[in-house]
Amino acid sequence: MQEIFYEESVSLHNEKPAKRRYILFTVVAVLCVLFAVLMFFNIVFMPVADQDGNKFTKPVIITLIISAVFFGGMVFFAVFLFRKRHNFFAGYDYTYVSGELRICKVIHSRKRKMLYKLSDDRLIKIGRVGSESYKKLKASPDTKEEILTPNEEADEDKEFFYIQATTNVGKRLLILECRLQMIYTIVRYMRRNILESEFNQK
């Protein structure tokens, strides 16, 4: 039996806003690290006794607790910002392999995260974003929309399509930016027609 394989990738068209956010997150993260270092030395070199030699007086304990909380908070935010700054450079890979649609998120061209692996029986309907069927599905309370493209405008040879699917977390309306060929590849090997009724009326 011949294996069917089709793959497309979508990346960020305009990187300027992403670069600005990346720089902002990096600068704030560095400031958090510097502030954490200051808090660390404040804790280490804090005098633990008053002029009478009484150790760990109430004001000292309170100051230590506050400094420790700030230190922990700054470390947490620094790690969070350093990790999240890459998310602004997100892309997606869509792969159809012998009856299974796989969607991966690609972060800064170096980290891949599998989002969905959907067999044919989990695909309910496919159509164009903006169609009447899309509007009805988007308004449905039991279907949640999920944007799986970083762009607000599709590339010249691509369009925005939706795939309604049953996932492990419920029904999803997955928005993809891909070529028409990918949609036809998926539909071609389906045992049933899942295209919206108005799909070919464009």
Side-chain angles (χ1 to χ4, degrees), residues 50-62:
D50 57 19
Q51 294 179 349
D52 299 326
N54 299 318
K55 295 184 177 181
F56 297 108
T57 60
K58 187 175 181 180
V60 171
I61 293 173
I62 293 174

Side-chain angles (χ1 to χ4, degrees), residues 2-7 94-102 118-120 182 185-186 189:
Q2 184 182 4
E3 184 178 66
I4 299 101
F5 179 86
Y6 186 91
E7 182 179 32
Y94 318 129
T95 309
Y96 186 75
V97 184
S98 295
E100 185 177 71
L101 177 63
R102 302 171 185 174
L118 303 170
S119 54
D120 283 346
M182 179 165 195
T185 300
I186 296 172
Y189 297 99

Side-chain angles (χ1 to χ4, degrees), residues 26-39:
T26 302
V27 170
V28 175
V30 170
L31 291 176
C32 287
V33 170
L34 293 175
F35 195 74
V37 171
L38 290 175
M39 287 296 100

Side-chain angles (χ1 to χ4, degrees), residues 158-173:
K158 297 179 181 180
E159 297 180 55
F160 290 128
F161 297 98
Y162 72 82
I163 296 180
Q164 185 190 25
T166 302
T167 72
N168 296 333
V169 289
K171 287 184 179 180
R172 289 291 185 269
L173 196 61

